Amino acid sequence: MRLKLVPDNTNFDFFGYAKITFGASVVAMILSLIAWGVMGLNFGIDFRGGTTLRTESSEAIDVGAYRDALAPLELGDVTISEVFDPGFGEDRHVAMIRVQAQEGQEAATTDTIETIEAALKGVSPDIKFTSVESVGPKVSGELIQTAFLAVGGALAAILIYIWLRFEWQFSVGAVVALFHDVVLTIGLFSILQIRFDLPVVAAILTIIGYSINDTVVIFDRLRENLRKYKKRPLREVMNLSVNETLSRTLMTSGTTLLALIALLILGGDVIRAFVFAITWGVIVGTYSSVYVAKNVVLYLGVKRDWSKPDAGAGTQFANIDA
């Protein structure tokens, strides 16, 4: 027997509360930007410059004792956090120690690392440094600039691509939805102060790719229905299009989330921020495909009379099948 999570024919009114859902998205974006401006991001070592040390020991980690041991070294800003992972055994205790870039040093010297290790051995004699990562201040500043250019470039390329495939209203809707996904992801990382580093930027680019794919599938169905039902109100055609693609949307998002949740639980702390960003992005991306991108198109309106060419809407590429 074939499993059906969604009936074959649904008739949900997705745009019955368009103003409320769109207003909620605008408020969420504003709050995310405020959180970003006020609280900032917890930049990882990639963006701040400095050295991150990953330690392992058989003894339980006492963050206060670690901090007291490192205080006499006068290393400046030092952040110590214990790493929890269900895959760790009872005798495996992991900590991440982040030390700011030292004056005159692009990366932590061997002497600095040995001094830190010697100090921590006084607290936990069997402590081991399993990884050491260093990034200089100049490199970290360039990485921040490059990361934001990458995200901005991706949005600009998608704007042009959707405009070539559909009409300009669709491209505006798609980019607004993607901007919504990116801002909400950054806002959540700011509020929760989750480490924001290069893998998270890669996750945001992945979110953009996933979300635009979902949006284009519904846009294609909407374009077909606009030509089929020329006299029906735009809102009814949009509702029909979303209902017709609902099963595909939920199955794709659901199966993707199953894999991501497994990685979130069992993947370990190294990729947890990356997986968390993508998991959140799949949720908001699915939401924005319907409640942000389509709402923008609904408000802007689209061409209904396809019997006459319109040089200002769509292009010669708009008849390409997805």
Side-chain angles (χ1 to χ4, degrees), residues 55-63 65-66 82-84 88-95 120-128:
T55 70
E56 287 191 19
S57 66
S58 60
E59 298 180 11
I61 293 172
D62 185 338
V63 174
Y66 277 30
E82 186 172 3
V83 177
F84 296 96
F88 292 167
E90 294 182 356
D91 60 344
R92 187 184 180 195
H93 302 278
V94 179
L120 293 180
K121 279 188 177 295
V123 180
S124 181
D126 69 338
I127 194 168
K128 294 183 295 185

PDB file of all heavy atoms in Angstrom, residues 55-63 65-66 82-84 88-95 120-128:
ATOM      1  N   THR A  55      40.590  20.520  23.485  1.00  0.00           N
ATOM      2  CA  THR A  55      41.258  19.670  24.473  1.00  0.00           C
ATOM      3  C   THR A  55      40.396  18.462  24.813  1.00  0.00           C
ATOM      4  O   THR A  55      39.171  18.519  24.711  1.00  0.00           O
ATOM      5  CB  THR A  55      41.549  20.442  25.772  1.00  0.00           C
ATOM      6  OG1 THR A  55      40.317  20.703  26.450  1.00  0.00           O
ATOM      7  CG2 THR A  55      42.248  21.767  25.473  1.00  0.00           C
ATOM      8  N   GLU A  56      41.058  17.409  25.218  1.00  0.00           N
ATOM      9  CA  GLU A  56      40.348  16.212  25.689  1.00  0.00           C
ATOM     10  C   GLU A  56      41.038  15.704  26.946  1.00  0.00           C
ATOM     11  O   GLU A  56      42.268  15.745  27.057  1.00  0.00           O
ATOM     12  CB  GLU A  56      40.354  15.115  24.618  1.00  0.00           C
ATOM     13  CG  GLU A  56      39.436  15.394  23.446  1.00  0.00           C
ATOM     14  CD  GLU A  56      39.264  14.182  22.543  1.00  0.00           C
ATOM     15  OE1 GLU A  56      39.552  13.050  23.008  1.00  0.00           O
ATOM     16  OE2 GLU A  56      38.853  14.382  21.395  1.00  0.00           O
ATOM     17  N   SER A  57      40.244  15.235  27.876  1.00  0.00           N
ATOM     18  CA  SER A  57      40.800  14.665  29.113  1.00  0.00           C
ATOM     19  C   SER A  57      39.818  13.652  29.669  1.00  0.00           C
ATOM     20  O   SER A  57      38.644  13.619  29.293  1.00  0.00           O
ATOM     21  CB  SER A  57      41.066  15.771  30.137  1.00  0.00           C
ATOM     22  OG  SER A  57      39.841  16.353  30.562  1.00  0.00           O
ATOM     23  N   SER A  58      40.313  12.827  30.575  1.00  0.00           N
ATOM     24  CA  SER A  58      39.443  11.826  31.196  1.00  0.00           C
ATOM     25  C   SER A  58      38.724  12.389  32.417  1.00  0.00           C
ATOM     26  O   SER A  58      37.782  11.781  32.918  1.00  0.00           O
ATOM     27  CB  SER A  58      40.272  10.590  31.592  1.00  0.00           C
ATOM     28  OG  SER A  58      41.284  10.967  32.524  1.00  0.00           O
ATOM     29  N   GLU A  59      39.172  13.523  32.913  1.00  0.00           N
ATOM     30  CA  GLU A  59      38.547  14.134  34.081  1.00  0.00           C
ATOM     31  C   GLU A  59      37.475  15.129  33.654  1.00  0.00           C
ATOM     32  O   GLU A  59      37.587  15.749  32.588  1.00  0.00           O
ATOM     33  CB  GLU A  59      39.603  14.860  34.927  1.00  0.00           C
ATOM     34  CG  GLU A  59      40.688  13.938  35.480  1.00  0.00           C
ATOM     35  CD  GLU A  59      41.702  14.720  36.298  1.00  0.00           C
ATOM     36  OE1 GLU A  59      41.431  15.903  36.587  1.00  0.00           O
ATOM     37  OE2 GLU A  59      42.751  14.151  36.623  1.00  0.00           O
ATOM     38  N   ALA A  60      36.480  15.270  34.503  1.00  0.00           N
ATOM     39  CA  ALA A  60      35.422  16.224  34.204  1.00  0.00           C
ATOM     40  C   ALA A  60      36.000  17.632  34.104  1.00  0.00           C
ATOM     41  O   ALA A  60      36.916  18.010  34.839  1.00  0.00           O
ATOM     42  CB  ALA A  60      34.354  16.172  35.293  1.00  0.00           C
ATOM     43  N   ILE A  61      35.459  18.404  33.158  1.00  0.00           N
ATOM     44  CA  ILE A  61      35.999  19.745  32.911  1.00  0.00           C
ATOM     45  C   ILE A  61      35.431  20.735  33.915  1.00  0.00           C
ATOM     46  O   ILE A  61      34.218  20.823  34.114  1.00  0.00           O
ATOM     47  CB  ILE A  61      35.668  20.184  31.474  1.00  0.00           C
ATOM     48  CG1 ILE A  61      36.447  19.304  30.484  1.00  0.00           C
ATOM     49  CG2 ILE A  61      35.991  21.655  31.258  1.00  0.00           C
ATOM     50  CD1 ILE A  61      36.065  19.497  29.060  1.00  0.00           C
ATOM     51  N   ASP A  62      36.340  21.470  34.549  1.00  0.00           N
ATOM     52  CA  ASP A  62      35.961  22.543  35.473  1.00  0.00           C
ATOM     53  C   ASP A  62      36.343  23.863  34.794  1.00  0.00           C
ATOM     54  O   ASP A  62      37.514  24.261  34.793  1.00  0.00           O
ATOM     55  CB  ASP A  62      36.694  22.376  36.805  1.00  0.00           C
ATOM     56  CG  ASP A  62      36.235  23.402  37.841  1.00  0.00           C
ATOM     57  OD1 ASP A  62      35.704  24.459  37.436  1.00  0.00           O
ATOM     58  OD2 ASP A  62      36.414  23.136  39.041  1.00  0.00           O
ATOM     59  N   VAL A  63      35.347  24.521  34.174  1.00  0.00           N
ATOM     60  CA  VAL A  63      35.633  25.728  33.402  1.00  0.00           C
ATOM     61  C   VAL A  63      36.283  26.799  34.273  1.00  0.00           C
ATOM     62  O   VAL A  63      37.220  27.492  33.853  1.00  0.00           O
ATOM     63  CB  VAL A  63      34.341  26.258  32.753  1.00  0.00           C
ATOM     64  CG1 VAL A  63      34.586  27.598  32.056  1.00  0.00           C
ATOM     65  CG2 VAL A  63      33.785  25.244  31.762  1.00  0.00           C
ATOM     66  N   ALA A  65      38.196  26.375  36.925  1.00  0.00           N
ATOM     67  CA  ALA A  65      39.596  26.025  37.207  1.00  0.00           C
ATOM     68  C   ALA A  65      40.466  26.277  35.973  1.00  0.00           C
ATOM     69  O   ALA A  65      41.611  26.746  36.102  1.00  0.00           O
ATOM     70  CB  ALA A  65      39.678  24.556  37.627  1.00  0.00           C
ATOM     71  N   TYR A  66      39.934  25.976  34.796  1.00  0.00           N
ATOM     72  CA  TYR A  66      40.678  26.260  33.560  1.00  0.00           C
ATOM     73  C   TYR A  66      40.952  27.760  33.447  1.00  0.00           C
ATOM     74  O   TYR A  66      42.059  28.201  33.113  1.00  0.00           O
ATOM     75  CB  TYR A  66      39.867  25.803  32.338  1.00  0.00           C
ATOM     76  CG  TYR A  66      39.986  24.329  31.997  1.00  0.00           C
ATOM     77  CD1 TYR A  66      40.215  23.379  32.978  1.00  0.00           C
ATOM     78  CD2 TYR A  66      39.856  23.889  30.690  1.00  0.00           C
ATOM     79  CE1 TYR A  66      40.305  22.032  32.672  1.00  0.00           C
ATOM     80  CE2 TYR A  66      39.951  22.548  30.366  1.00  0.00           C
ATOM     81  CZ  TYR A  66      40.168  21.616  31.366  1.00  0.00           C
ATOM     82  OH  TYR A  66      40.261  20.286  31.060  1.00  0.00           O
ATOM     83  N   GLU A  82      32.622  23.981  27.327  1.00  0.00           N
ATOM     84  CA  GLU A  82      32.649  22.516  27.319  1.00  0.00           C
ATOM     85  C   GLU A  82      31.780  22.009  26.178  1.00  0.00           C
ATOM     86  O   GLU A  82      30.715  22.554  25.900  1.00  0.00           O
ATOM     87  CB  GLU A  82      32.135  21.969  28.652  1.00  0.00           C
ATOM     88  CG  GLU A  82      32.270  20.460  28.757  1.00  0.00           C
ATOM     89  CD  GLU A  82      31.950  19.925  30.158  1.00  0.00           C
ATOM     90  OE1 GLU A  82      31.578  20.762  31.007  1.00  0.00           O
ATOM     91  OE2 GLU A  82      32.073  18.722  30.372  1.00  0.00           O
ATOM     92  N   VAL A  83      32.244  20.984  25.528  1.00  0.00           N
ATOM     93  CA  VAL A  83      31.521  20.417  24.388  1.00  0.00           C
ATOM     94  C   VAL A  83      30.786  19.167  24.851  1.00  0.00           C
ATOM     95  O   VAL A  83      31.394  18.257  25.428  1.00  0.00           O
ATOM     96  CB  VAL A  83      32.502  20.061  23.248  1.00  0.00           C
ATOM     97  CG1 VAL A  83      31.754  19.404  22.092  1.00  0.00           C
ATOM     98  CG2 VAL A  83      33.236  21.300  22.784  1.00  0.00           C
ATOM     99  N   PHE A  84      29.482  19.157  24.606  1.00  0.00           N
ATOM    100  CA  PHE A  84      28.680  17.983  24.955  1.00  0.00           C
ATOM    101  C   PHE A  84      28.294  17.250  23.675  1.00  0.00           C
ATOM    102  O   PHE A  84      27.919  17.864  22.683  1.00  0.00           O
ATOM    103  CB  PHE A  84      27.416  18.408  25.714  1.00  0.00           C
ATOM    104  CG  PHE A  84      27.688  19.054  27.037  1.00  0.00           C
ATOM    105  CD1 PHE A  84      27.735  20.437  27.142  1.00  0.00           C
ATOM    106  CD2 PHE A  84      27.910  18.284  28.163  1.00  0.00           C
ATOM    107  CE1 PHE A  84      27.991  21.047  28.366  1.00  0.00           C
ATOM    108  CE2 PHE A  84      28.168  18.881  29.388  1.00  0.00           C
ATOM    109  CZ  PHE A  84      28.208  20.263  29.496  1.00  0.00           C
ATOM    110  N   PHE A  88      30.095  10.852  23.022  1.00  0.00           N
ATOM    111  CA  PHE A  88      31.273  10.775  23.898  1.00  0.00           C
ATOM    112  C   PHE A  88      31.061   9.735  24.995  1.00  0.00           C
ATOM    113  O   PHE A  88      29.967   9.607  25.548  1.00  0.00           O
ATOM    114  CB  PHE A  88      31.539  12.128  24.556  1.00  0.00           C
ATOM    115  CG  PHE A  88      31.986  13.202  23.588  1.00  0.00           C
ATOM    116  CD1 PHE A  88      32.002  14.534  23.970  1.00  0.00           C
ATOM    117  CD2 PHE A  88      32.407  12.881  22.301  1.00  0.00           C
ATOM    118  CE1 PHE A  88      32.410  15.530  23.090  1.00  0.00           C
ATOM    119  CE2 PHE A  88      32.815  13.862  21.409  1.00  0.00           C
ATOM    120  CZ  PHE A  88      32.821  15.186  21.804  1.00  0.00           C
ATOM    121  N   GLY A  89      32.129   9.007  25.326  1.00  0.00           N
ATOM    122  CA  GLY A  89      32.066   8.083  26.444  1.00  0.00           C
ATOM    123  C   GLY A  89      32.145   8.834  27.774  1.00  0.00           C
ATOM    124  O   GLY A  89      32.393  10.040  27.817  1.00  0.00           O
ATOM    125  N   GLU A  90      31.927   8.083  28.875  1.00  0.00           N
ATOM    126  CA  GLU A  90      31.913   8.736  30.192  1.00  0.00           C
ATOM    127  C   GLU A  90      33.269   9.310  30.568  1.00  0.00           C
ATOM    128  O   GLU A  90      33.366  10.212  31.401  1.00  0.00           O
ATOM    129  CB  GLU A  90      31.455   7.730  31.258  1.00  0.00           C
ATOM    130  CG  GLU A  90      30.000   7.292  31.079  1.00  0.00           C
ATOM    131  CD  GLU A  90      29.561   6.344  32.178  1.00  0.00           C
ATOM    132  OE1 GLU A  90      30.440   5.991  33.015  1.00  0.00           O
ATOM    133  OE2 GLU A  90      28.391   5.962  32.201  1.00  0.00           O
ATOM    134  N   ASP A  91      34.346   8.734  30.017  1.00  0.00           N
ATOM    135  CA  ASP A  91      35.690   9.199  30.376  1.00  0.00           C
ATOM    136  C   ASP A  91      36.272  10.148  29.321  1.00  0.00           C
ATOM    137  O   ASP A  91      37.474  10.383  29.293  1.00  0.00           O
ATOM    138  CB  ASP A  91      36.629   8.010  30.570  1.00  0.00           C
ATOM    139  CG  ASP A  91      36.738   7.177  29.298  1.00  0.00           C
ATOM    140  OD1 ASP A  91      35.880   7.351  28.401  1.00  0.00           O
ATOM    141  OD2 ASP A  91      37.673   6.360  29.200  1.00  0.00           O
ATOM    142  N   ARG A  92      35.427  10.663  28.455  1.00  0.00           N
ATOM    143  CA  ARG A  92      35.906  11.586  27.418  1.00  0.00           C
ATOM    144  C   ARG A  92      35.249  12.948  27.621  1.00  0.00           C
ATOM    145  O   ARG A  92      34.039  13.096  27.477  1.00  0.00           O
ATOM    146  CB  ARG A  92      35.569  11.063  26.026  1.00  0.00           C
ATOM    147  CG  ARG A  92      36.186  11.899  24.908  1.00  0.00           C
ATOM    148  CD  ARG A  92      35.744  11.384  23.547  1.00  0.00           C
ATOM    149  NE  ARG A  92      36.314  12.171  22.467  1.00  0.00           N
ATOM    150  CZ  ARG A  92      35.874  12.123  21.211  1.00  0.00           C
ATOM    151  NH1 ARG A  92      34.883  11.293  20.904  1.00  0.00           N
ATOM    152  NH2 ARG A  92      36.422  12.871  20.287  1.00  0.00           N
ATOM    153  N   HIS A  93      36.057  13.922  27.976  1.00  0.00           N
ATOM    154  CA  HIS A  93      35.572  15.271  28.249  1.00  0.00           C
ATOM    155  C   HIS A  93      36.317  16.243  27.328  1.00  0.00           C
ATOM    156  O   HIS A  93      37.542  16.291  27.324  1.00  0.00           O
ATOM    157  CB  HIS A  93      35.794  15.644  29.710  1.00  0.00           C
ATOM    158  CG  HIS A  93      35.125  14.692  30.658  1.00  0.00           C
ATOM    159  ND1 HIS A  93      33.790  14.771  30.977  1.00  0.00           N
ATOM    160  CD2 HIS A  93      35.620  13.607  31.322  1.00  0.00           C
ATOM    161  CE1 HIS A  93      33.476  13.797  31.808  1.00  0.00           C
ATOM    162  NE2 HIS A  93      34.569  13.064  32.044  1.00  0.00           N
ATOM    163  N   VAL A  94      35.545  16.989  26.568  1.00  0.00           N
ATOM    164  CA  VAL A  94      36.113  17.854  25.522  1.00  0.00           C
ATOM    165  C   VAL A  94      35.792  19.318  25.817  1.00  0.00           C
ATOM    166  O   VAL A  94      34.676  19.644  26.264  1.00  0.00           O
ATOM    167  CB  VAL A  94      35.546  17.465  24.136  1.00  0.00           C
ATOM    168  CG1 VAL A  94      36.105  18.380  23.043  1.00  0.00           C
ATOM    169  CG2 VAL A  94      35.864  16.008  23.824  1.00  0.00           C
ATOM    170  N   ALA A  95      36.761  20.169  25.583  1.00  0.00           N
ATOM    171  CA  ALA A  95      36.559  21.614  25.757  1.00  0.00           C
ATOM    172  C   ALA A  95      37.145  22.354  24.566  1.00  0.00           C
ATOM    173  O   ALA A  95      38.072  21.877  23.914  1.00  0.00           O
ATOM    174  CB  ALA A  95      37.207  22.096  27.052  1.00  0.00           C
ATOM    175  N   LEU A 120      47.333  24.213  31.899  1.00  0.00           N
ATOM    176  CA  LEU A 120      46.148  23.362  32.033  1.00  0.00           C
ATOM    177  C   LEU A 120      46.485  21.988  32.604  1.00  0.00           C
ATOM    178  O   LEU A 120      45.634  21.335  33.211  1.00  0.00           O
ATOM    179  CB  LEU A 120      45.463  23.210  30.680  1.00  0.00           C
ATOM    180  CG  LEU A 120      44.838  24.494  30.119  1.00  0.00           C
ATOM    181  CD1 LEU A 120      44.185  24.246  28.772  1.00  0.00           C
ATOM    182  CD2 LEU A 120      43.806  25.065  31.093  1.00  0.00           C
ATOM    183  N   LYS A 121      47.710  21.536  32.411  1.00  0.00           N
ATOM    184  CA  LYS A 121      48.102  20.249  32.998  1.00  0.00           C
ATOM    185  C   LYS A 121      48.097  20.318  34.518  1.00  0.00           C
ATOM    186  O   LYS A 121      47.994  19.291  35.203  1.00  0.00           O
ATOM    187  CB  LYS A 121      49.498  19.841  32.498  1.00  0.00           C
ATOM    188  CG  LYS A 121      49.481  19.202  31.102  1.00  0.00           C
ATOM    189  CD  LYS A 121      50.820  18.660  30.732  1.00  0.00           C
ATOM    190  CE  LYS A 121      50.780  17.965  29.367  1.00  0.00           C
ATOM    191  NZ  LYS A 121      49.919  16.765  29.391  1.00  0.00           N
ATOM    192  N   GLY A 122      48.227  21.515  35.048  1.00  0.00           N
ATOM    193  CA  GLY A 122      48.122  21.664  36.499  1.00  0.00           C
ATOM    194  C   GLY A 122      46.720  21.392  37.000  1.00  0.00           C
ATOM    195  O   GLY A 122      46.507  21.050  38.168  1.00  0.00           O
ATOM    196  N   VAL A 123      45.721  21.523  36.113  1.00  0.00           N
ATOM    197  CA  VAL A 123      44.324  21.247  36.475  1.00  0.00           C
ATOM    198  C   VAL A 123      43.948  19.814  36.097  1.00  0.00           C
ATOM    199  O   VAL A 123      43.311  19.099  36.876  1.00  0.00           O
ATOM    200  CB  VAL A 123      43.385  22.234  35.743  1.00  0.00           C
ATOM    201  CG1 VAL A 123      41.923  21.949  36.117  1.00  0.00           C
ATOM    202  CG2 VAL A 123      43.753  23.666  36.085  1.00  0.00           C
ATOM    203  N   SER A 124      44.353  19.420  34.913  1.00  0.00           N
ATOM    204  CA  SER A 124      44.019  18.083  34.413  1.00  0.00           C
ATOM    205  C   SER A 124      45.280  17.467  33.816  1.00  0.00           C
ATOM    206  O   SER A 124      45.635  17.753  32.669  1.00  0.00           O
ATOM    207  CB  SER A 124      42.909  18.187  33.365  1.00  0.00           C
ATOM    208  OG  SER A 124      42.549  16.914  32.884  1.00  0.00           O
ATOM    209  N   PRO A 125      45.992  16.632  34.571  1.00  0.00           N
ATOM    210  CA  PRO A 125      47.317  16.140  34.136  1.00  0.00           C
ATOM    211  C   PRO A 125      47.310  15.400  32.803  1.00  0.00           C
ATOM    212  O   PRO A 125      48.307  15.416  32.078  1.00  0.00           O
ATOM    213  CB  PRO A 125      47.730  15.207  35.287  1.00  0.00           C
ATOM    214  CG  PRO A 125      46.960  15.717  36.468  1.00  0.00           C
ATOM    215  CD  PRO A 125      45.652  16.186  35.936  1.00  0.00           C
ATOM    216  N   ASP A 126      46.216  14.724  32.466  1.00  0.00           N
ATOM    217  CA  ASP A 126      46.226  13.938  31.222  1.00  0.00           C
ATOM    218  C   ASP A 126      45.619  14.694  30.042  1.00  0.00           C
ATOM    219  O   ASP A 126      45.271  14.088  29.024  1.00  0.00           O
ATOM    220  CB  ASP A 126      45.482  12.617  31.430  1.00  0.00           C
ATOM    221  CG  ASP A 126      43.992  12.832  31.616  1.00  0.00           C
ATOM    222  OD1 ASP A 126      43.595  13.969  31.992  1.00  0.00           O
ATOM    223  OD2 ASP A 126      43.224  11.892  31.363  1.00  0.00           O
ATOM    224  N   ILE A 127      45.503  16.000  30.159  1.00  0.00           N
ATOM    225  CA  ILE A 127      44.874  16.776  29.087  1.00  0.00           C
ATOM    226  C   ILE A 127      45.693  16.693  27.797  1.00  0.00           C
ATOM    227  O   ILE A 127      46.925  16.680  27.822  1.00  0.00           O
ATOM    228  CB  ILE A 127      44.698  18.253  29.528  1.00  0.00           C
ATOM    229  CG1 ILE A 127      43.755  18.973  28.570  1.00  0.00           C
ATOM    230  CG2 ILE A 127      46.037  18.966  29.581  1.00  0.00           C
ATOM    231  CD1 ILE A 127      43.314  20.331  29.082  1.00  0.00           C
ATOM    232  N   LYS A 128      44.973  16.612  26.665  1.00  0.00           N
ATOM    233  CA  LYS A 128      45.634  16.538  25.356  1.00  0.00           C
ATOM    234  C   LYS A 128      45.021  17.595  24.443  1.00  0.00           C
ATOM    235  O   LYS A 128      43.813  17.847  24.510  1.00  0.00           O
ATOM    236  CB  LYS A 128      45.442  15.156  24.733  1.00  0.00           C
ATOM    237  CG  LYS A 128      46.118  14.042  25.494  1.00  0.00           C
ATOM    238  CD  LYS A 128      45.939  12.713  24.783  1.00  0.00           C
ATOM    239  CE  LYS A 128      44.477  12.312  24.760  1.00  0.00           C
ATOM    240  NZ  LYS A 128      44.265  10.960  24.184  1.00  0.00           N
TER     241      LYS A 128
END
